[in-house]
Amino acid sequence: QVQLVESGGGLVQAGGSLRLSCAASGRTISNYAMGWFRQAPGKERDIVAAITASGTGTYYADSVKGRFTISRDNAKNTVYLQMNSLKPEDTAVYYCAARDTPAVVATARGYAHWGQGTQVTVSS
Protein backbone atom coordinates (compact mmCIF):
# COMPACT_ATOMS: atom_id res chain seq x y z
CA GLN A 1 0.00 0.00 0.00
CA VAL A 2 1.24 3.44 -0.88
CA GLN A 3 1.02 6.16 1.74
CA LEU A 4 0.47 9.75 0.69
CA VAL A 5 1.18 12.83 2.77
CA GLU A 6 0.20 16.30 1.63
CA SER A 7 1.93 19.44 2.74
CA GLY A 8 2.05 23.10 1.82
CA GLY A 9 -1.43 24.22 2.73
CA GLY A 10 -2.10 27.31 4.75
CA LEU A 11 -3.63 30.75 4.83
CA VAL A 12 -3.14 33.06 1.87
CA GLN A 13 -4.71 36.23 0.57
CA ALA A 14 -6.66 36.31 -2.65
CA GLY A 15 -4.30 36.59 -5.57
CA GLY A 16 -1.55 34.75 -3.78
CA SER A 17 0.09 31.43 -4.48
CA LEU A 18 0.73 28.14 -2.76
CA ARG A 19 2.52 24.99 -3.78
CA LEU A 20 1.16 21.76 -2.40
CA SER A 21 3.33 18.68 -2.24
CA CYS A 22 2.30 15.05 -2.02
CA ALA A 23 5.03 12.76 -0.79
CA ALA A 24 4.47 9.07 -1.45
CA SER A 25 6.07 6.25 0.47
CA GLY A 26 5.79 2.49 0.72
CA ARG A 27 5.50 2.06 -3.03
CA THR A 28 6.72 3.84 -6.11
CA ILE A 29 4.06 5.92 -7.84
CA SER A 30 5.85 5.94 -11.17
CA ASN A 31 3.14 3.76 -12.74
CA TYR A 32 0.22 5.51 -11.07
CA ALA A 33 -1.87 8.35 -12.33
CA MET A 34 -2.13 10.94 -9.59
CA GLY A 35 -4.77 13.48 -8.75
CA TRP A 36 -5.49 16.42 -6.54
CA PHE A 37 -9.00 16.78 -5.19
CA ARG A 38 -10.62 19.31 -2.92
CA GLN A 39 -13.59 19.40 -0.64
CA ALA A 40 -15.09 22.67 0.49
CA PRO A 41 -17.52 22.96 3.39
CA GLY A 42 -20.87 21.50 2.44
CA LYS A 43 -19.59 20.33 -0.94
CA GLU A 44 -18.63 17.03 -2.51
CA ARG A 45 -15.04 16.05 -3.09
CA ASP A 46 -14.20 17.16 -6.62
CA ILE A 47 -11.19 16.78 -8.84
CA VAL A 48 -8.86 19.72 -9.19
CA ALA A 49 -6.19 18.26 -11.43
CA ALA A 50 -4.73 14.93 -12.44
CA ILE A 51 -1.62 13.73 -14.19
CA THR A 52 -0.75 10.54 -16.00
CA ALA A 53 1.94 8.24 -14.71
CA SER A 54 4.49 9.52 -17.19
CA GLY A 55 3.59 13.14 -16.59
CA THR A 56 2.80 13.73 -20.25
CA GLY A 57 -0.93 14.13 -19.85
CA THR A 58 -2.88 16.36 -17.48
CA TYR A 59 -6.45 17.19 -16.63
CA TYR A 60 -7.77 20.31 -14.92
CA ALA A 61 -11.13 21.29 -13.61
CA ASP A 62 -12.53 24.25 -15.50
CA SER A 63 -12.47 26.33 -12.35
CA VAL A 64 -8.69 26.11 -12.03
CA LYS A 65 -7.51 26.06 -15.64
CA GLY A 66 -4.85 28.65 -16.23
CA ARG A 67 -4.23 29.09 -12.50
CA PHE A 68 -3.15 25.68 -11.19
CA THR A 69 -0.46 23.37 -12.49
CA ILE A 70 -0.01 19.75 -11.54
CA SER A 71 3.40 18.18 -11.92
CA ARG A 72 5.31 15.18 -10.69
CA ASP A 73 8.83 14.10 -9.99
CA ASN A 74 8.82 10.34 -10.09
CA ALA A 75 12.45 10.19 -8.99
CA LYS A 76 11.34 11.86 -5.76
CA ASN A 77 8.06 9.94 -5.59
CA THR A 78 6.32 13.29 -5.24
CA VAL A 79 3.46 15.15 -6.90
CA TYR A 80 2.93 18.89 -6.77
CA LEU A 81 0.11 21.33 -7.25
CA GLN A 82 1.17 24.88 -7.97
CA MET A 83 -1.74 27.20 -7.23
CA ASN A 84 -1.58 30.77 -8.47
CA SER A 85 -4.09 33.61 -8.48
CA LEU A 86 -5.92 32.02 -5.60
CA LYS A 87 -9.52 32.96 -4.98
CA PRO A 88 -11.65 32.64 -1.85
CA GLU A 89 -13.65 29.95 -3.61
CA ASP A 90 -10.49 27.82 -3.71
CA THR A 91 -10.78 27.41 0.05
CA ALA A 92 -11.02 23.70 0.78
CA VAL A 93 -9.23 20.69 2.12
CA TYR A 94 -6.97 19.46 -0.66
CA TYR A 95 -6.28 15.76 -1.03
CA CYS A 96 -3.69 13.88 -3.00
CA ALA A 97 -4.75 10.57 -4.52
CA ALA A 98 -3.20 7.72 -6.48
CA ARG A 99 -5.05 5.66 -9.05
CA ASP A 100 -3.01 2.42 -9.36
CA THR A 101 -3.07 2.67 -13.17
CA PRO A 102 -1.24 5.03 -15.53
CA ALA A 103 -4.26 6.75 -17.06
CA VAL A 104 -6.25 9.62 -15.58
CA VAL A 105 -9.90 9.63 -14.59
CA ALA A 106 -11.75 12.63 -13.25
CA THR A 107 -13.74 11.06 -10.42
CA ALA A 108 -12.69 10.39 -6.86
CA ARG A 109 -14.00 6.83 -7.11
CA GLY A 110 -11.22 6.06 -9.56
CA TYR A 111 -8.46 6.64 -7.02
CA ALA A 112 -7.54 3.96 -4.54
CA HIS A 113 -5.09 5.72 -2.24
CA TRP A 114 -5.59 8.98 -0.43
CA GLY A 115 -3.67 11.34 1.74
CA GLN A 116 -5.03 12.93 4.88
CA GLY A 117 -5.62 16.30 3.28
CA THR A 118 -4.20 19.75 3.81
CA GLN A 119 -6.26 22.86 4.46
CA VAL A 120 -6.05 25.76 2.04
CA THR A 121 -7.79 28.94 3.10
CA VAL A 122 -7.90 31.97 0.85
CA SER A 123 -9.00 35.25 2.37
CA SER A 124 -10.50 38.13 0.45
Side-chain angles (χ1 to χ4, degrees):
Q1 185 90 353
V2 64
Q3 292 82 47
L4 305 173
V5 178
E6 303 95 334
S7 62
L11 294 166
V12 296
Q13 292 186 336
S17 298
L18 283 174
R19 189 184 73 166
L20 305 184
S21 297
C22 173
S25 61
R27 185 89 165 82
T28 179
I29 60 169
S30 61
N31 294 127
Y32 295 166
M34 301 292 295
W36 286 97
F37 294 76
R38 67 187 182 188
Q39 189 164 23
K43 302 293 185 180
E44 295 184 351
R45 187 174 299 187
D46 291 326
I47 194 163
V48 176
I51 188 166
T52 60
S54 68
T56 59
T58 57
Y59 170 88
Y60 296 95
D62 287 343
S63 59
V64 307
K65 284 181 180 176
R67 299 189 297 120
F68 291 10
T69 303
I70 188 170
S71 62
R72 66 192 299 158
D73 186 341
N74 284 341
K76 295 182 178 180
N77 225 29
T78 301
V79 180
Y80 306 95
L81 184 68
Q82 179 67 46
M83 304 187 294
N84 299 326
S85 302
L86 283 162
K87 304 174 180 179
E89 50 263 46
D90 295 319
T91 295
V93 177
Y94 283 71
Y95 298 90
C96 176
R99 178 157 157 74
D100 277 340
T101 60
V104 163
V105 296
T107 59
R109 291 180 181 266
Y111 294 80
H113 311 284
W114 293 84
Q116 81 289 347
T118 186
Q119 177 71 47
V120 172
T121 303
V122 184
S123 62
S124 61

